[in-house]
Amino acid sequence: MFKPQYPTPDTYTPATIRPTPAPAELTATTTAATVPAGKASGIGALAAQSPGTALALAAGGVAGVLALASVAVSLLLAVAVTAVALSVSSIVVLLLVRALRQELGR
């Protein structure tokens, strides 16, 4: 009675996909671009262009550190405010429970 009855399987056969090799003109090897010995690359080249660029990079780094520090301080402040609120509310609840016990004890 509770045995499942499955339908008969179809005659579907999954298609097999075989990769074909890529043409030779698309698989030509490429060489990486090399930097001449006298030229700097990366941030060194950017900073070597002008002193203002190096100053802008330093200012951007300082601004990033200050932004992260302000986020961290605000998170710590939120935790401190929550802790103070919980401690005050727990003291209020404790005083209310004590007051109720004194009234019921009379």
Side-chain angles (χ1 to χ4, degrees):
M1 179 176 156
F2 294 109
K3 185 178 178 182
Q5 296 177 353
Y6 298 107
T8 58
D10 294 335
T11 57
Y12 171 75
T13 56
T16 57
I17 300 173
R18 293 191 176 93
T20 58
E25 59 268 1
L26 294 179
T27 60
T29 59
T30 59
T31 59
T34 58
V35 178
K39 299 279 186 174
S41 64
I43 294 191
L46 185 62
Q49 289 178 1
S50 69
T53 307
L55 184 63
L57 283 174
V62 169
V65 167
L66 288 177
L68 288 175
S70 66
V71 168
V73 167
S74 64
L75 286 173
L76 289 173
L77 182 63
V79 169
V81 167
T82 304
V84 168
L86 284 175
S87 64
V88 167
S89 63
S90 66
I91 290 172
V92 169
V93 168
L94 180 67
L95 292 175
L96 288 174
V97 167
R98 283 185 182 171
L100 283 175
R101 280 187 183 173
Q102 287 177 357
E103 285 182 10
L104 292 177
R106 288 185 189 184

